[in-house]
């Protein structure tokens, strides 16, 4: 492709002569004056190599044209040759002052013009190449190679000077680029370069090392000040995105080290803090150098170690708390290096996760474990399970399931014998992929364990979305929770939540008898840790098998597919054909109970066990307004009032008021595709599960740690949740007399014992659905719901006060409590005013005599 030349000349004959001279070697563009030339340049500026310019022209003369293009960054680099008939030195100086590059005289001599044009084009291209080599095109800083050259020159010129190489990079620049676009990313890089120029001392040398990395040579000691200036510039840039810089420093003490290696060391210092939050500055020193050299040695040795079998699989026993016996093992990899000795997994596993070698090591472990399981089977040992690690990198491989299936088939191992441990962090990084992978692996029969639960994200949403079999509690979480009083920790709640989700629970890191007994008390299934045994080679674990054969369920019994008890779904509808369609739709997912009337529906719930029915599909047109009767029966039963109900009605029916009166969880017209019904039922049950888990959390926060009763927060939440069916009710306010005296005279332990005694007393004297609360230090509130007899209300309060007197106190002191009672009928709503009434009645009781109980009256 020919280079383009622009001729700016008002004389047509001169343009034709120049065009004739140049057209064989170049593509010629023409303009009659300066203004027309500017229009041509706006369209072809990047393609024009030289401008031939006449000075004397109408509309816009040559000098004005020169001034305009030299003021434009895009046009100023195009060389301009002035065409003139004047031999005046003053005219030449004026043209040069305006930015001209060269002159050619009139009349034109073809060979002179061709040589001048060719020389200027070559000179421009050479300058551009030199500039491209020396400067980064985007930021204008020195290029990497030219930065090396300038640093070498500086160090030679100043052999006594003390200097440092400072490397900086923008954290998560790729994410910024992806989020805001390449143009915005380029602008950020230019801003960073400009800030570095301002920050660095005039004697410093700045360059762009590549991508989002910048580097400079500074006199030692000035880099900290420069960093502060740069941080200030970033803070004042007004960006909504939090742009963070990391800095690495290499202090030049050995000038025999090549400049390239000096820069690499500054870069290594930056990399050493790449993942450390709120740490922005690192210096390359002997410690970092030793660490990096060791990491390099480990990386160089890993291939050889795998080929030579230096990696050894250890087994840590896992015990069942239900059967007090050996129940399985966890496979842990160890590295016995011939020179470096026994390497900690905490040292090489994170390194392998970074460089991707972890996938090969994991597959080596899986194969080793399956080979060992086959060997133990051949020796006649009972078939137990072994847990193996599946890293985040493994999940990213599309062939993960095929690889695992190939290995277990190769050694004749049941998939359920190989428990696959995933960490919760893998879910947070790629939830969609891990969900689909886990579902596929479970379909193949593998058992999925969530490892290290409690060590990080610990998402309840993760437990809700991901289908798991076993929850493994992190050892640090176990230590932390078992060191707290039972009432203050959330360990019991976590185990209860796992129970509710049909998950088994394994506790790692059990080291003491106290931890073991706490875990046994709250219902943990399996334990492992140094209290029982450290990880051991396969040969030692085999001796353990010989000494204590495990009472372990067969793999098929442990697999999720073996479960036979299905959740019950009640469809109450007068249309037998519709009930049959629902039964076919949910077959295999639920045990479908059928009812044609409200009475049959109530009977189904009672016969199957109220708590075992998990959802109801209810026809709004059941005979004799049966839908309303069935809803009331469900809502008034304490064990099943939370069962989610979906109401259906025929297409075209208008019964909005009736549906509003029913107050069910969802509504669907019967003129619907069956897949919509399935989706709505599943969604309704997921929402109910979410509400139940949410309620568990709320309940935990609303409990008094000492007595186990509700605290004030929990009490008001329970009060707000009362429904019309709970009325009428009676509210009691009890006050323990002389609690302060007991604390002062006999210790707080005795006072706590008294409070716990009264809490247990209230549980014995009330029903499951009643509200019990420790309202304050020595005050308790009781709400009896749906009271049937007004005559027994005062008697109940007096009984509680009388029974409390049996609490034993030393020195002949007698325990006593007083009570006040307020009533709430069906025509009012329980509120704080009711507590005030009970408090007024309590005041009357105390005034009467300690240990009595009074009913509030207007």
């Amino acid at each position: 492709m020919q280079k383009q030349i622009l001729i700016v000349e008002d004389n047509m004959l001169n343009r034709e002569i120049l065009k004739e001279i140049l057209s064989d070697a170049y593509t010629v563009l023409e303009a009659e004056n300066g203004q027309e030339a500017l229009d041509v340049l706006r369209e072809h500026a990047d393609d024009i190599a030289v401008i031939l310019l006449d000075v004397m022209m109408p509309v816009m003369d040559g000098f004005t044209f020169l001034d305009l293009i030299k003021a434009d960054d895009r046009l100023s680099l195009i060389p301009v040759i002035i065409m003139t008939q004047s031999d005046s030195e003053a005219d030449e100086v004026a043209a040069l002052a305006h930015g001209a590059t060269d002159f050619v005289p009139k009349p034109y001599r073809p060979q002179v013009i061709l040589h001048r044009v060719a020389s200027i084009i070559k000179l421009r291209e050479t300058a551009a190449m030199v500039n491209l080599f020396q400067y980064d095109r985007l930021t204008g800083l020195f290029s990497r190679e030219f930065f090396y050259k300038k640093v070498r020159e500086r160090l030679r010129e100043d052999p006594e000077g003390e200097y440092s190489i400072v490397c900086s990079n923008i954290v998560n620049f790729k994410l910024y680029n992806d989020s805001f676009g390449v143009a915005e990313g380029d602008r950020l890089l230019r801003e960073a370069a400009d800030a570095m120029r301002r920050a660095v001392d005039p004697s410093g040398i700045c360059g762009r090392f590549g991508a989002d990395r910048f580097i400079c040579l500074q006199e030692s000691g000035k880099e900290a000040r420069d960093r502060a200036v740069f941080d200030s510039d970033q803070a004042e840039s007004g960006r909504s995105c939090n742009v963070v810089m990391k800095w690495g420093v290499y202090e030049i003490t050995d000038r025999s080290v090549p400049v390239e290696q000096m820069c690499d060391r500054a870069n290594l210092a930056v990399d050493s803090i790449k993942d450390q939050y709120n740490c922005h500055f690192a210096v390359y020193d002997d410690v970092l150098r030793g660490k990096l050299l060791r990491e390099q040695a480990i990386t160089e040795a890993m291939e050889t170690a795998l080929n030579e079998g230096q990696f050894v699989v250890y087994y840590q026993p896992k015990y069942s708390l239900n059967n007090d016996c050996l129940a399985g093992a966890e496979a842990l990899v160890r590295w016995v290096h011939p020179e470096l000795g026994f390497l900690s997994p905490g040292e090489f596993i994170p390194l392998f996760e970074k460089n991707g070698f972890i996938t090969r090591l994991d597959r080596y472990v899986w194969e080793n474990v399956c080979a060992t399981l086959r060997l133990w089977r051949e020796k006649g040992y009972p078939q137990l399970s072994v847990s193996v690690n599946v890293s985040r990198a493994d999940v990213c491989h599309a062939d993960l399931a095929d690889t695992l299936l190939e290995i277990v088939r190769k050694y004749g191992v049941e998939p359920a014998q190989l428990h696959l441990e995933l960490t919760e962090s893998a879910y947070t990084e790629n939830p969609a992929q891990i969900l689909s992978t886990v579902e596929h692996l479970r379909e193949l029969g593998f058992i999925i364990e969530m490892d290290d639960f409690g060590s990080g994200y610990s998402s309840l949403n993760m437990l809700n979305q991901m289908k798991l079999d076993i929850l493994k509690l992190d050892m640090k979480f176990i230590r932390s929770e078992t060191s707290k009083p039972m009432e203050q920790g959330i360990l019991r709640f976590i185990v209860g939540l796992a129970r509710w989700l049909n998950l088994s629970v394994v506790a790692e890191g059990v080291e003491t008898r106290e931890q073991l007994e706490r875990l046994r008390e709250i219902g943990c299934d399996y334990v492992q840790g140094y209290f029982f045994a450290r990880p051991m080679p396969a040969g030692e674990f085999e001796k353990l098998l010989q000494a204590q054969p495990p009472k372990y369920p067969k793999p098929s019994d442990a697999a999720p597919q073996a479960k036979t008890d299905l959740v019950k779904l009640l469809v109450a509808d007068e249309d037998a054909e519709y009930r049959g369609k629902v039964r076919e739709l949910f077959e295999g997912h639920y045990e479908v109970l059928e009812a044609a009337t409200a009475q049959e529906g109530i009977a189904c719930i009672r016969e199957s066990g109220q708590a075992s029915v998990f959802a109801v599909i209810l026809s709004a047109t059941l005979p004799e307004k049966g839908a309303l009767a069935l809803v009331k029966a469900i809502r008034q039963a304490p064990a099943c009032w939370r069962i989610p109900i979906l109401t259906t009605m025929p297409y075209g029916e208008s019964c909005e008021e009736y549906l509003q009166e029913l107050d069910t969880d969802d509504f669907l017209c019967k003129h619907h595709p069956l897949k919509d019904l399935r989706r709505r039922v599943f969604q309704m049950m997921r929402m109910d599960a979410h509400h139940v888990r949410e309620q568990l959390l709320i309940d935990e926060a609303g409990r008094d740690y000492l007595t186990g009763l509700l605290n004030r927060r929990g009490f008001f939440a329970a009060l707000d949740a009362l429904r019309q069916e709970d009325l009428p009710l009676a509210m009691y306010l009890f006050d323990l007399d002389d609690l302060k005296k007991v604390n002062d005279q006999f210790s707080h332990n005795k006072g706590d014992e008294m409070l716990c005694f009264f809490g247990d007393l209230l549980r014995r004297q009330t029903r499951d659905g009643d509200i019990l609360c420790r309202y304050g230090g020595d005050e308790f509130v009781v709400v009896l719901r749906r009271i049937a007899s007004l005559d027994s209300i005062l008697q109940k309060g007096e009984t509680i006060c009388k029974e409390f007197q049996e609490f034993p106190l030393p020195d002949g002191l007698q325990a006593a409590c007083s009570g006040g009672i307020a009533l709430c009928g069906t025509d009012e709503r329980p509120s704080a005013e009711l507590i005030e009434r009970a408090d007024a009645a309590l005041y009357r009781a105390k005034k009467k005599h300690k240990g009595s109980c009074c009913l509030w009256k207007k």
Side-chain angles (χ1 to χ4, degrees):
M1 181 177 172
Q2 289 184 328
K3 293 180 172 59
Q4 296 183 5
I5 294 178
L6 173 61
I7 300 172
V8 188
E9 166 68 75
D10 63 320
N11 187 304
M12 182 183 296
L13 180 60
N14 285 341
R15 290 204 307 272
E16 289 300 323
I17 294 172
L18 289 169
K19 190 174 180 180
E20 182 68 24
I21 294 170
L22 297 166
S23 58
D24 287 343
Y26 305 100
T27 299
V28 177
L29 305 177
E30 300 177 55
E32 292 184 9
N33 54 62
Q35 184 58 57
E36 188 177 323
L38 287 175
D39 296 337
V40 174
L41 283 172
R42 289 190 184 100
E43 186 175 352
H44 300 283
D46 294 334
D47 302 319
I48 292 176
V50 176
I51 300 172
L52 294 175
L53 175 68
D54 185 28
V55 174
M56 304 304 295
M57 294 181 295
V59 182
M60 181 187 292
D61 64 75
F63 290 138
T64 304
F65 174 77
L66 276 170
D67 291 339
L68 289 173
I69 67 170
K70 293 308 174 183
D72 188 320
D73 290 340
R74 186 179 176 211
L75 307 178
S76 62
L77 297 178
I78 302 174
V80 179
I81 299 176
I82 295 293
M83 301 177 297
T84 178
Q85 291 178 328
S86 171
D87 293 330
S88 168
E89 182 179 343
D91 289 345
E92 291 185 5
V93 171
L96 289 171
H98 285 278
T101 308
D102 203 353
F103 301 88
V104 291
K106 295 179 182 180
Y108 305 127
R109 290 180 290 172
Q111 291 302 317
V112 172
I113 290 176
L114 286 171
H115 279 296
R116 292 283 177 90
V117 168
S119 297
I120 284 182
I121 290 175
K122 184 176 181 182
L123 183 64
R124 184 193 183 200
E125 290 177 346
T126 303
M129 289 295 293
V130 170
N131 189 66
L132 185 64
F133 170 75
Q134 293 183 349
Y135 296 95
D136 174 60
R137 183 177 179 183
L138 178 66
T139 64
L141 299 179
F142 287 138
S143 65
R144 183 193 303 196
E145 295 299 328
F146 199 63
F147 175 81
Y148 292 158
K149 180 176 181 295
K150 298 295 285 184
V151 171
R152 291 191 198 99
E153 290 174 358
R154 172 65 58 81
L155 296 179
R156 280 197 301 268
E157 292 167 0
D158 186 10
E160 302 300 324
E162 295 183 355
Y163 292 95
S164 296
I165 299 283
V166 182
C167 174
S168 64
N169 84 305
I170 303 172
V171 177
N172 290 329
F173 175 73
K174 184 180 183 302
L175 178 62
Y176 186 93
N177 231 17
D178 294 342
S179 301
F180 300 102
V182 174
E184 184 64 25
D186 288 348
R187 182 156 46 142
L188 174 61
L189 291 172
R190 285 192 293 269
E191 286 182 10
D194 291 341
M196 177 168 279
R197 287 191 191 94
R198 291 193 299 271
V200 173
D201 188 89
S203 63
I205 302 172
C206 298
R208 184 180 177 198
F209 202 73
D212 60 333
R213 300 220 170 193
F214 300 92
I215 199 155
C216 70
L217 176 77
Q218 267 287 62
E219 292 182 19
S220 291
K222 291 183 178 179
E223 64 273 4
R225 185 206 64 191
D226 295 342
R227 172 173 164 260
V229 173
F230 187 80
D231 284 346
S232 174
D233 283 346
Q234 286 299 106
E236 295 170 2
S237 66
R239 291 185 174 275
S240 58
C241 178
N242 184 21
V243 178
V244 178
M245 297 291 293
K246 300 276 188 178
W247 300 76
V249 177
Y250 172 69
E251 296 175 349
I252 301 175
T253 55
D254 182 0
R255 297 205 177 197
S256 65
V257 175
V259 170
E260 294 85 348
Q261 194 172 342
M262 294 179 185
C263 295
D264 287 341
R265 290 179 177 181
N267 273 290
L268 288 171
V270 171
D271 292 338
S272 70
I273 56 171
K274 185 168 59 176
D275 299 321
Q276 296 180 30
Y277 175 73
N278 211 25
C279 181
H280 303 94
F281 196 70
V283 177
Y284 184 90
D285 55 16
D286 290 340
V287 174
L288 179 58
R289 181 174 181 274
K291 177 177 179 292
L292 294 172
L293 288 174
R294 185 170 176 86
E295 287 184 358
Q296 183 181 359
I298 290 173
T299 302
E300 291 174 352
M302 61 189 186
E303 292 278 357
T304 304
L306 191 64
N307 295 332
E308 294 181 354
Q310 295 175 16
F311 293 105
V312 181
V313 178
Y314 275 45
Y315 295 83
Q316 184 165 34
K318 184 189 305 179
Y319 289 89
S320 167
L321 290 181
N322 297 323
N323 300 321
D324 289 321
C325 68
L326 186 64
E330 178 182 3
L332 301 165
V333 67
R334 298 292 185 260
W335 185 358
V336 184
H337 192 282
E339 298 174 4
L340 301 176
F342 196 92
L343 297 179
S344 166
E347 183 177 16
F348 64 82
I349 292 294
L351 193 58
F352 291 171
E353 287 177 340
K354 286 181 184 178
N355 62 29
F357 188 71
I358 190 68
T359 57
R360 292 186 58 191
L361 181 60
D362 283 345
R363 294 181 188 204
Y364 170 84
V365 172
W366 302 339
E367 186 139 357
N368 193 293
V369 166
C370 288
T372 302
L373 285 172
R374 183 177 69 177
L375 178 63
W376 288 343
R377 183 182 71 239
E378 291 171 352
K379 291 185 177 182
Y381 299 134
Q383 296 298 284
L384 48 72
S385 69
V386 175
S387 304
V388 297
N389 183 66
V390 177
S391 70
R392 288 171 286 183
D394 296 324
V395 177
C396 295
H397 284 271
D399 64 345
L400 173 62
D402 294 337
T403 301
L404 286 164
L405 205 55
E406 179 185 344
I407 292 174
V408 295
R409 286 174 178 172
K410 176 181 177 181
Y411 294 98
V413 173
E414 290 287 334
Q417 280 185 270
L418 203 62
H419 289 200
L420 307 179
E421 292 188 1
L422 295 153
T423 60
E424 56 187 358
S425 59
Y427 172 82
T428 63
E429 291 183 4
N430 199 341
Q433 183 166 5
I434 196 171
L435 288 175
S436 62
T437 301
V438 164
E439 184 175 358
H440 184 39
L441 290 170
R442 292 183 85 247
E443 288 172 355
L444 296 175
F446 292 99
I447 303 298
I448 307 299
E449 300 184 1
M450 178 54 64
D451 194 19
D452 293 339
F453 187 82
S455 63
Y457 189 60
S458 301
S459 167
L460 295 180
N461 184 55
M462 171 188 65
L463 294 181
N464 185 37
Q465 289 187 329
M466 192 186 301
K467 293 181 179 179
L468 304 170
D469 301 293
I470 296 172
L471 200 64
K472 292 194 74 174
L473 303 182
D474 178 66
M475 63 175 66
K476 292 180 181 176
F477 178 71
I478 293 296
R479 289 193 201 114
S480 170
E481 287 298 308
T482 53
S483 66
K484 301 175 184 176
M486 179 76 80
E487 300 80 6
Q488 293 181 10
I490 62 169
L491 193 56
R492 183 187 291 277
F493 162 72
I494 295 295
V495 173
L497 180 62
R499 262 312 153 267
W500 191 84
L501 293 169
N502 293 320
L503 302 178
S504 298
V505 179
V506 178
E508 297 181 291
V510 180
E511 297 176 343
T512 66
R513 170 69 65 181
E514 290 75 20
Q515 290 174 345
L516 173 63
E517 294 308 323
R518 172 72 70 85
L519 292 165
R520 189 193 298 276
E521 184 179 351
I522 63 176
C524 185
D525 300 293
Y526 304 99
V527 288
Q528 64 185 71
Y530 287 179
F531 180 76
F532 302 97
R534 292 174 177 269
M536 59 188 71
E540 289 186 27
F541 190 85
E542 189 174 326
K543 294 176 183 177
L544 202 61
L545 285 176
Q546 295 169 349
Q548 185 185 352
K551 306 171 189 174
Y552 191 73
K554 293 181 180 179
S556 57
D557 297 333
Q561 291 82 352
K563 296 176 181 177
T564 56
D565 294 334
L566 294 176
V567 172
K568 295 179 176 63
L569 173 70
L570 171 63
V571 52
D573 197 292
E574 68 276 16
D575 184 347
E577 183 181 355
Y578 182 79
R579 296 198 307 270
K581 290 180 179 178
V582 174
R583 184 176 61 253
E584 291 177 8
L585 178 66
F586 290 103
E587 188 173 3
H589 294 280
Y590 302 103
E591 180 185 343
V592 179
L593 309 176
E594 297 183 42
T597 65
Q599 290 72 27
E600 289 181 14
I602 295 170
C604 278
I605 292 176
R606 286 174 180 166
E607 290 170 9
S608 63
Q610 294 175 338
S612 65
V613 177
F614 270 64
V616 175
I617 300 174
L618 173 65
S619 170
T621 55
L622 279 180
E624 301 176 357
K625 284 200 171 185
L628 187 59
L630 183 55
V631 170
K632 283 187 176 180
I634 291 173
R635 297 303 188 220
Q636 289 177 358
C640 60
W641 68 271
R642 286 194 59 87
I643 294 175
I645 304 174
L646 183 145
T647 306
T648 62
M649 63 175 293
Y651 181 72
E653 289 281 340
S654 178
C655 50
E656 293 181 6
E657 292 183 5
Y658 183 46
L659 288 172
Q660 190 172 3
E661 186 180 6
L662 284 175
D663 189 24
T664 53
D665 298 274
D666 202 355
F667 159 76
L668 188 64
C669 179
K670 276 191 180 177
H671 189 69
H672 59 75
L674 285 176
K675 64 179 183 180
D676 283 355
L677 177 65
R678 180 173 178 171
R679 178 176 58 82
R680 295 285 277 275
V681 169
F682 286 170
Q683 183 180 17
M684 184 175 66
M685 295 180 71
R686 280 197 301 270
M687 286 297 296
D688 182 66
H690 172 76
H691 290 320
V692 169
R693 285 193 292 276
E694 188 176 51
Q695 191 59 48
L696 284 171
L697 285 168
I698 292 172
D699 288 348
E700 189 72 20
R703 290 282 168 188
D704 173 55
Y705 75 95
L706 181 64
T707 63
L709 306 182
L710 296 177
N711 57 23
R712 187 175 296 207
R713 175 180 176 179
F715 169 73
F716 281 110
L719 206 63
D720 289 340
L722 287 172
R723 305 160 67 96
Q724 187 65 31
E725 303 91 75
D726 297 315
L727 304 177
L729 57 79
M731 182 179 290
Y732 296 76
L733 180 62
F734 292 101
D735 179 79
L736 306 191
D737 298 323
D738 299 324
L739 176 63
K740 184 177 184 306
K741 186 176 181 181
V742 170
N743 281 334
D744 294 342
Q745 195 166 333
F746 306 113
S747 82
H748 283 272
N749 287 338
K750 194 65 178 178
D752 289 349
E753 189 182 335
M754 175 186 280
L755 291 168
C756 292
F757 178 87
F758 191 73
D760 293 338
L761 168 59
L762 293 181
R763 291 188 186 92
R764 291 196 305 272
Q765 289 291 337
T766 55
R767 301 161 298 181
D768 286 343
D770 295 329
I771 300 174
L772 310 179
C773 164
R774 183 183 174 194
Y775 195 69
D778 57 357
E779 291 185 328
F780 291 77
V781 176
V782 175
V783 176
L784 300 185
R785 303 189 300 174
R786 297 189 299 276
I787 52 175
S789 169
L790 293 176
D791 297 335
S792 62
I793 293 173
L794 186 59
Q795 183 180 349
K796 173 65 70 175
E798 291 173 345
T799 300
I800 290 172
C801 290
K802 184 176 181 181
E803 191 170 330
F804 182 64
Q805 293 176 5
E806 298 176 5
F807 178 73
L809 285 173
D811 302 335
L813 191 64
Q814 186 175 36
C817 74
S818 305
I821 312 167
L823 304 180
C824 179
T826 55
D827 57 345
E828 58 180 319
R829 181 75 190 165
S831 64
E833 185 181 353
L834 199 62
I835 300 176
E836 293 175 4
R837 295 176 187 174
D839 188 49
L842 174 62
Y843 177 77
R844 283 181 49 225
K846 282 179 167 288
K847 194 172 180 181
K848 183 178 178 182
H849 66 79
K850 288 183 180 181
S852 65
C853 193
C854 286
L855 188 65
W856 180 83
K857 295 178 183 178
K858 291 184 181 178

